[in-house]
Amino acid sequence: MDNVWKKYEDDDLNRLNEICDDYRKFLSVSKIEREVVKNSILLAEEKGFRNLEEWIREGKKLSAGDKVYVNNRGKSLALFVIGEKDITEGINILGAHVDSPRLDLKANPFYEEDEFAYLDTHYYGGIKKYQWVTLPLALHGVVVRKNGEVVPIVVGEDESDPVVGITDLLPHLGKEQMKKEASTVIEGEKLDVLIGSMPLKEEEKDAVKKNIFMILKNKYGIEEDDFLSAEIEAVPAGKARDFGLDRSMILAYGQDDKVCAYSSLRAFLDCPPCSKTISCILVDKEEIGSVGATGMCSSFYEYAIEEICELLGHTERTAIARCLSASCMLSSDVNAAYDPLYSDVMDKRNASYFNHGVVFCKYTGSRGKSGSNDADAEYIAKLRNIMDHGNVHFQISELGKVDAGGGGTIAYILANKNVNVIDCGVGVLSMHAPWEVTAKADIYEAYKCYLAFLQEA
Ligand code: MN
Ligand code: MN
């Protein structure tokens, strides 16, 4: 397998740069799941998609070529284009997740200590805690007032905004700290975000914290109590950037799994009319086990297909079972790319490499494939054929050495519904770190792969 840059002609390079530039811009304004869903709906509506609820309300039947989406609580999204073939002949599904590791604010986040105001956090997903100190952080999310009004919050992204962050001990006094294991050198309870140091003149107690509240009240009209019903995430501040002096890579927060979410959505929206129904799922909560109403384990996706079946005139009880059993899915999620600095955790013959194309992963899991979806050989053979036909450069890998650890994705969840599923995505360096790295050539090949899959699976 060759480095795919060597194979590109000018047409490829132009298309690659166009897609990667759009991806970088999308990523810079789509750091958390709610922002991804909102911005994805905007892109879909530009292409003529409409909310399925409108369809249901109007009692309109669906037919081939119709484009609909289901917005699940603003945190996950399912899009469909109805095909010529009957829906019981199956759907070609792309599924990615749009949540990423971060620091969530606790329900009672504010406190003042020795004239500093802090936000108390509870980390979300698998992080190396020591990576999150001394970084510029931004706050993204929503505060929901008692009357139901949703106040969106983004602080720290505009050039003129302040940023916040977590302090660390100076090395001069870090002798004891440096003896600790990496997992405890920064403890979860110490990941508290410093947000202010200026007291209100006329206040005796918590004067710094009170000053912060005055600022929040003036800017957003919110009170301390309103944070009881809020979801605010502290994430690395700043835009996605070209990475490398040759600009061959992208550095950004949250590329697991927005690199696959964006390339899947882009391929889905660019896809010409298909004979089968096609779908793209962008889902929340993968990093903590796909739990909750907005995670992949929720029934929302099946409910959406049930609604669609009914609007297509399928009222028989078996329609959804037949549809899912005939469906194919790519679980679009990232893979741990080979890193020469950490080659000891990789099996070189079964690793994924930067610039070697989109990565198929037959199984993930840990301790002997536990928790994985093991895609069957027949399905992989079919996909190999589609990739070759679509001139897609791909590689097949595992997630690191057998006993090195492991991980999971949403693949097994739809597989449990009897859908044919395999993991398929982009290799990442520094996965789950505040700033992750991907290769542009792999993003382009993922896009081509998803496009070929939607049309031919
Ligand atoms: Mn992932
Ligand atoms: Mn992950």
Side-chain angles (χ1 to χ4, degrees), residues 257-413:
D257 183 33
K258 286 160 208 121
V259 67
C260 297
Y262 181 79
S263 47
S264 293
L265 178 71
R266 178 76 180 249
F268 177 82
L269 296 177
D270 288 352
C271 190
C274 293
S275 57
K276 278 172 81 174
T277 293
I278 61 171
S279 177
C280 178
I281 316 172
L282 304 176
V283 76
D284 182 28
K285 294 285 185 281
E286 190 274 343
E287 295 294 358
I288 58 167
S290 298
V291 294
T294 54
M296 195 70 246
C297 289
S298 151
S299 298
F300 93 93
Y301 190 62
E302 263 175 289
Y303 292 165
I305 297 175
E306 270 181 39
E307 293 283 3
I308 287 170
C309 281
E310 190 165 308
L311 294 178
L312 286 165
H314 279 290
T315 50
E316 72 278 19
R317 202 176 50 85
T318 48
I320 184 151
R322 277 187 279 141
C323 169
L324 287 171
S325 301
S327 291
C328 293
M329 178 182 185
L330 296 183
S331 161
S332 316
D333 208 342
V334 295
N335 197 272
Y338 175 81
D339 185 336
L341 299 182
Y342 298 97
S343 59
D344 50 322
V345 295
M346 296 288 179
D347 164 15
K348 275 193 154 188
R349 288 182 303 280
N350 284 285
S352 64
Y353 293 87
F354 257 33
N355 300 313
H356 283 214
V358 64
V359 185
F360 284 91
C361 193
K362 177 170 155 62
Y363 45 83
T364 56
S366 53
R367 290 165 284 104
K369 299 190 179 183
S370 183
S372 86
N373 153 60
D374 203 347
D376 61 45
E378 290 83 351
Y379 184 46
I380 298 174
K382 173 178 165 165
L383 293 170
R384 283 174 61 203
N385 195 36
I386 294 169
M387 294 304 116
D388 287 348
H389 191 231
N391 192 27
V392 177
H393 300 100
F394 70 94
Q395 46 187 330
I396 298 198
S397 88
E398 293 204 359
L399 194 85
K401 269 189 185 163
V402 174
D403 283 332
T409 65
I410 62 169
Y412 76 94
I413 302 163

Side-chain angles (χ1 to χ4, degrees), residues 97 256 286-287 431-432:
H97 68 92
D256 172 8
E286 190 274 343
E287 295 294 358
M431 195 194 291
H432 283 209

Side-chain angles (χ1 to χ4, degrees), residues 4 10 70 89 94 140 144 146 158 168 176 204 222 230 254 343-344 350 385-386 396-397 400:
V4 299
D10 282 352
V70 176
E89 292 185 51
L94 296 173
H140 290 240
V144 184
K146 255 200 293 191
D158 195 88
D168 193 4
E176 288 306 311
E204 285 286 317
I222 47 182
S343 59
D344 50 322
N350 284 285
N385 195 36
I386 294 169
I396 298 198
S397 88

Side-chain angles (χ1 to χ4, degrees), residues 407-426:
T409 65
I410 62 169
Y412 76 94
I413 302 163
L414 273 243
N416 285 351
K417 310 277 181 201
N418 204 27
V419 175
N420 255 326
V421 189
I422 187 169
D423 280 300
C424 173
V426 174

Side-chain angles (χ1 to χ4, degrees), residues 117-219:
Y118 288 98
L119 291 170
D120 209 347
T121 71
H122 193 138
Y123 63 89
Y124 173 99
I127 62 165
K128 288 176 164 178
K129 286 163 278 187
Y130 66 80
Q131 292 176 332
W132 289 74
V133 295
T134 69
L135 288 175
L137 297 177
L139 300 171
H140 290 240
V142 295
V143 175
V144 184
R145 289 211 188 89
K146 255 200 293 191
N147 66 7
E149 189 194 342
V150 179
V151 183
I153 307 271
V154 182
V155 188
E157 298 295 352
D158 195 88
E159 292 283 297
S160 64
D161 278 355
V163 292
V164 292
I166 301 164
T167 54
D168 193 4
L169 188 58
L170 63 168
H172 317 63
L173 298 178
K175 205 171 139 217
E176 288 306 311
Q177 185 198 33
M178 296 299 277
K179 289 180 192 160
K180 291 184 183 171
E181 285 190 22
S183 60
T184 57
V185 68
I186 300 291
E187 281 169 28
E189 211 49 84
K190 284 232 169 86
L191 288 173
D192 291 355
V193 182
L194 178 59
I195 54 166
S197 67
M198 191 197 293
L200 275 181
K201 266 189 189 158
E202 57 278 15
E203 289 291 338
E204 285 286 317
K205 196 171 173 287
D206 289 345
V208 176
K209 191 177 102 169
K210 280 174 186 155
N211 188 36
I212 294 284
F213 279 118
M214 205 183 67
I215 292 165
L216 290 174
K217 174 126 192 164
N218 289 342
K219 182 156 185 202

